C-alpha cells in the first residue's frame, strides 16, 4: 500500500517543534536505521528520578550564530555505529517530527555531526509506513531560501563578546575555512574571512596598518588564522608578518609557514632534529644523473619538483631508464629536483597526524587509488581511521615543533626501518580528517587561540 505514503527526496526540510527548531535540513537515508540530530554540550541531569539531557543545537549548516538550547527526556542510551565505522554511546530522545503538514513522534540519537553535510539524518525507523524515498530527487516537499529560513527563526543573535578573529585565505567556500568560521562563531567569537589578495599594508614606523578592500583597517583583530595556499606563500607570509608586528596572534607564524613550504629546508630541519626521512637526494639540473639515482638506492624511486604541491610534480620512476628520462625532462626546465627512495612496503598508504599546540589531536590513514602511489586526498585517495603508535605520535609532535608550527598536518609513512617522515603541512585540510575521525578539529584550533590569549568569556562580557 503506497497511497497514503508521502514521497520524499534525498534531502528535505523538516521542523522539530518540541525542541523549538522551526526548520532544519535533513538527509533522508533509508540505509540508516536510526535518526540522528547534531548536538553539542550534551549533559545529563536528573528530574523526578528520570534522566534528562540538555544540549545545544546549531541547526543551520555553516552558521555558528544561530544557537538553540534544548532539553529532553533521555529514553535510552545505546551504542550506534556511524557511517565511518566508529562506535559511539549516544543518548536517545523522542520528539515530534513535523513535515508536509503531518506530525508524529520519532526517536533521535544525539551526536556531533560537524563533519557531516547535514545537521540531521532521517533514518528508516522514523519513515516506516509513512514515506517513500525517491533518491534521485531533492526537496520534493518544497525548497527554502536563506531568507525563508531566517524568517522562520527570527532569532536574536546572542550578544556574546568574544575575540575578533580573521581567517586569512583565498576561498571562503572551502570546507576548512567554512568550518573554522562556524566553530569560532559557535564559541561566541566574531570570525571574519579576509581574502589574501584583497589585503594590503602600510609600512610605517609610527602607524603600521593592514587594510582590507574599501579601506577597512584590520589592526583591531585579536588573532589571525593563516590558511595560505602555496601559490600565495610569499604575499600571505608578508601579510602574516605584518599582523605579527602589530602584536596580533597568528596561529602559525610567517617564519614557520615559510620554512615548512621550502621542501629542502624543511627536510634539513627535520634531520637536524633527529627525525628520520626516506633517503633523499637534491640537485639542480644534475649532470651526473646515474650517481643521483644510485645515491637513493636505485630504482624504483620518487622524483619531485621542489615547487610541487598536493602530489603535483611528483613522479614514480619504476626503472633506471624511466628515472633518467624524468630527471632529464626536469633538467630542461632548469628545475630544482628532489629524488627519494621509494618505500614499496607502504603499499600506497601514509598517515596524516593532525597536530595542534604540541599534541596529536587526530590521525587518519590515506590510501592511494588503484594504480596510483600518491595518497593525497586531492588525487582521489581515501581516508580511514587508524590508531597511531606512540613513536608515530612522538615524531609528529617533534616535526611540528621543529618547524615552529602550532597547527600542522604531519605525513608519516610506515617502512621496514620504522616510521619515516614525508612532509609537514602548515595549512592542513580539515574535510578528510574530520570525516574519517568524526572529531571537531576546527573547534580545537579555536581553543588553541583562546588558550594562547588567556581568553575568559566572563572577562570579555564585563569589559
Amino acid at each position: 500500500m503506497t497511497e497514503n505514503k508521502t514521497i520524499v527526496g534525498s534531502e528535505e526540510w523538516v521542523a522539530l517543534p518540541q525542541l523549538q527548531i522551526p526548520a532544519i535540513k535533513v538527509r533522508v537515508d533509508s540505509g540508516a536505521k536510526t535518526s540522528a540530530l547534531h548536538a553539542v554540550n550534551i549533559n545529563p541531569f536528573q528530574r523526578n528520578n528520570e534522566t534528562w539531557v540538555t544540549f545545544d543545537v546549531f541547526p543551520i549548516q555553516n552558521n555558528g550564530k544561530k544557537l538553540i538550547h534544548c532539553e529532553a527526556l533521555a529514553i535510552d542510551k545505546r551504542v550506534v555505529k556511524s557511517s565511518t565505522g566508529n562506535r559511539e554511546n549516544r543518548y536517545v530522545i523522542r520528539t515530534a517530527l513535523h513535515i508536509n503538514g503531518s506530525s508524529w513522534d520519532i526517536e533521535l540519537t544525539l551526536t556531533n555531526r560537524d563533519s557531516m553535510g547535514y545537521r540531521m539524518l532521517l533514518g528508516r525507523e522514523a519513515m516506516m509506513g509513512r514515506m517513500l524515498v525517491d533518491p534521485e530527487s531533492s526537496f520534493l516537499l518544497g525548497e527554502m531560501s536563506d531568507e525563508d529560513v531566517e524568517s522562520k527563526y527570527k532569532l536574536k543573535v546572542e550578544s556574546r563578546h568574544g575575540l575578533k578573529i580573521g581567517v586569512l585565505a583565498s576561498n571562503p567556500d572551502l570546507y576548512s575555512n567554512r568550518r573554522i568560521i562556524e566553530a569560532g562563531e559557535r564559541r561566541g567569537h566574531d570570525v571574519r574571512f579576509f581574502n589574501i589578495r584583497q589585503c594590503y599594508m602600510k609600512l610605517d614606523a609610527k602607524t603600521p596598518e593592514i587594510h582590507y578592500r574599501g579601506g577597512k583597517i584590520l589592526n583591531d583583530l585579536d588573532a589571525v588564522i593563516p590558511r595560505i595556499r602555496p601559490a600565495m606563500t610569499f604575499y600571505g607570509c608578508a601579510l602574516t608578518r605584518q599582523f605579527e608586528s602589530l602584536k596580533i596572534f597568528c596561529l602559525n607564524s610567517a617564519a614557520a609557514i615559510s620554512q615548512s613550504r621550502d621542501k629542502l629546508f624543511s627536510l634539513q630541519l627535520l634531520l637536524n632534529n633527529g627525525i628520520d626521512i626516506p633517503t633523499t637526494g637534491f640537485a639542480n639540473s644534475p649532470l651526473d644523473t646515474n650517481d643521483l639515482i644510485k645515491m637513493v638506492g636505485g630504482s624504483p624511486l620518487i622524483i619531485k619538483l621542489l615547487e610541487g604541491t598536493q602530489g603535483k610534480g611528483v613522479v614514480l620512476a619504476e626503472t633506471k631508464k624511466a628515472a633518467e628520462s624524468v630527471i632529464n625532462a626536469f633538467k630542461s626546465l632548469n628545475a630544482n629536483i628532489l629524488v627519494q627512495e621509494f618505500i614499496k612496503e607502504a603499499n600506497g598508504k601514509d598517515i596524516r597526524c593532525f597536530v595542534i599546540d604540541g599534541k596529536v589531536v587526530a590521525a587518519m590513514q590515506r590510501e592511494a587509488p588503484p594504480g596510483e602511489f600518491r595518497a593525497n586526498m586531492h588525487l582521489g585517495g581515501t581516508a580511514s581511521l587508524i590508531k597511531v603508535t606512540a613513536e608515530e605520535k612522538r615524531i609528529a609532535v617533534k616535526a611540528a615543533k621543529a618547524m615552529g608550527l602550532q597547527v600542522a598536518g604531519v605525513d608519516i609513512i610506515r617502512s621496514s626501518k620504522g616510521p619515516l617522515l614525508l612532509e609537514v603541512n602548515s595549512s592542513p585540510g580539515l574535510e578528510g580528517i574530520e570525516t574519517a575521525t568524526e572529531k571537531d578539529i576546527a573547534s580545537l584550533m579555536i581553543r588553541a587561540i583562546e588558550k594562547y590569549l588567556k581568553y575568559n568569556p566572563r572577562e570579555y562580557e564585563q569589559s
Side-chain angles (χ1 to χ4, degrees):
M1 293 288 290
T2 63
E3 302 87 47
N4 298 325
K5 292 182 182 178
T6 303
I7 299 176
V8 297
S10 60
E11 49 187 341
E12 296 288 352
W13 286 93
V14 305
L16 304 172
Q18 292 170 349
L19 300 179
Q20 310 304 312
I21 297 175
I24 185 168
K25 190 192 293 185
V26 300
R27 170 72 170 160
V28 182
D29 184 1
S30 58
K33 180 183 177 185
T34 317
S35 300
L37 176 66
H38 170 68
V40 295
N41 303 325
I42 304 166
N43 292 302
F45 68 97
Q46 293 296 308
R47 177 184 287 166
N48 300 328
N49 293 322
E50 293 179 312
T51 300
W52 286 62
V53 282
T54 60
F55 53 96
D56 293 336
V57 177
F58 293 87
I60 305 170
Q61 195 75 22
N62 304 319
N63 186 327
K65 293 180 179 177
K66 292 277 188 286
L67 166 65
I68 298 179
H69 299 289
C70 305
E71 65 173 45
L73 175 68
I75 62 168
D76 195 6
K77 193 175 186 185
R78 66 178 75 132
V79 175
V80 177
K81 188 177 179 181
S82 72
S83 57
T84 59
N86 285 346
R87 293 182 176 276
E88 183 187 19
N89 214 356
R90 299 181 189 172
Y91 284 103
V92 184
I93 65 168
R94 184 176 286 116
T95 193
L97 173 79
H98 185 86
I99 183 170
N100 198 36
S102 299
S103 185
W104 63 93
D105 284 353
I106 65 167
E107 289 186 2
L108 277 175
T109 66
L110 304 178
T111 183
N112 188 325
R113 291 179 56 81
D114 262 331
S115 61
M116 305 298 176
Y118 298 82
R119 295 306 189 177
M120 181 172 159
L121 177 78
L122 194 65
R124 63 178 177 272
E125 278 188 342
M127 299 186 278
M128 296 282 263
R130 298 176 181 272
M131 293 180 175
L132 290 175
V133 184
D134 178 358
E136 292 182 335
S137 303
S138 294
F139 306 115
L140 292 177
L141 305 181
E143 174 61 293
M144 290 178 70
S145 66
D146 291 345
E147 292 75 21
D148 294 334
V149 176
E150 191 69 30
S151 66
K152 285 265 186 191
Y153 277 90
K154 294 179 183 169
L155 290 177
K156 283 193 294 184
V157 175
E158 293 185 15
S159 58
R160 294 181 285 178
H161 305 282
L163 299 168
K164 289 183 177 179
I165 301 173
V167 176
L168 188 66
S170 298
N171 181 358
D173 297 321
L174 202 65
Y175 174 95
S176 300
N177 298 332
R178 286 191 285 106
R179 283 283 299 114
I180 290 167
I181 291 168
E182 181 193 8
E185 288 177 343
R186 207 176 66 198
R187 294 187 62 77
H189 305 302
D190 179 10
V191 189
R192 305 286 174 89
F193 176 88
F194 298 112
N195 191 310
I196 292 173
R197 290 182 184 275
Q198 294 172 24
C199 293
Y200 47 102
M201 63 190 100
K202 174 187 174 187
L203 303 176
D204 181 85
K206 290 183 180 176
T207 56
E209 292 172 345
I210 293 185
H211 289 227
Y212 194 54
R213 62 182 181 211
K216 177 181 172 62
I217 298 175
L218 305 183
N219 291 32
D220 64 341
L221 293 175
D222 295 299
V224 166
I225 303 174
R227 302 282 302 175
I228 302 168
R229 62 170 58 176
M232 294 299 294
T233 299
F234 177 79
Y235 192 63
C237 285
L239 285 168
T240 304
R241 268 192 302 275
Q242 185 79 346
F243 279 117
E244 290 174 290
S245 73
L246 294 166
K247 305 293 184 261
I248 294 168
F249 173 64
C250 295
L251 192 67
N252 279 350
S253 68
I257 296 167
S258 295
Q259 61 193 23
S260 72
R261 288 281 163 85
D262 184 331
K263 281 186 182 170
L264 179 64
F265 182 39
S266 64
L267 291 176
Q268 289 170 324
L269 260 179
L270 294 167
L271 288 169
N272 288 340
N273 280 271
I275 299 167
D276 289 334
I277 65 169
T279 302
T280 302
F282 173 69
N284 176 265
S285 303
L287 292 171
D288 202 338
T289 305
N290 282 337
D291 194 42
L292 189 65
I293 294 169
K294 188 177 165 187
M295 189 188 288
V296 297
S299 59
L301 75 159
I302 306 290
I303 304 166
K304 300 181 182 181
L305 279 176
L306 203 60
E307 292 76 21
T309 59
Q310 294 178 349
K312 296 168 188 168
V314 181
V315 177
L316 169 63
E318 298 196 43
T319 64
K320 183 169 179 279
K321 193 170 182 180
E324 288 171 349
S325 298
V326 173
I327 291 170
N328 288 330
F330 284 166
K331 203 189 282 189
S332 66
L333 301 172
N334 197 27
N336 291 312
I337 304 162
L338 280 175
V339 294
Q340 205 165 61
E341 68 171 315
F342 177 58
I343 309 297
K344 188 177 181 182
E345 62 268 27
N347 232 358
K349 298 174 185 175
D350 68 19
I351 296 165
R352 162 63 60 89
C353 291
F354 208 104
V355 179
I356 299 178
D357 197 22
K359 290 180 184 171
V360 174
V361 298
M364 66 175 173
Q365 179 174 269
R366 303 183 302 183
E367 185 169 358
E372 178 59 78
F373 70 97
R374 296 163 294 181
N376 303 65
M377 306 300 289
H378 296 83
L379 299 172
T382 54
S384 59
L385 195 62
I386 190 172
K387 187 170 177 61
V388 289
T389 65
E391 175 66 4
E392 287 161 349
K393 281 186 182 178
R394 188 190 67 79
I395 289 171
V397 169
K398 196 172 180 182
K401 188 177 178 183
M403 294 288 169
L405 292 168
Q406 285 151 313
V407 173
V410 181
D411 297 339
I412 293 170
I413 196 165
R414 288 174 171 170
S415 78
S416 56
K417 296 181 281 189
L420 301 173
L421 196 134
L422 290 179
E423 196 172 358
V424 182
N425 190 319
S426 61
S427 296
L430 302 187
E431 186 168 11
I433 200 149
E434 284 199 337
T435 303
T437 65
E438 296 183 357
K439 286 190 176 179
D440 185 359
I441 309 293
S443 287
L444 296 178
M445 291 172 68
I446 301 296
R447 285 174 187 267
I449 292 172
E450 294 173 350
K451 179 184 171 185
Y452 181 87
L453 295 177
K454 298 180 171 62
Y455 170 72
N456 183 333
R458 291 190 184 87
E459 285 178 14
Y460 272 71
E461 284 167 12
Q462 290 163 9
S463 61

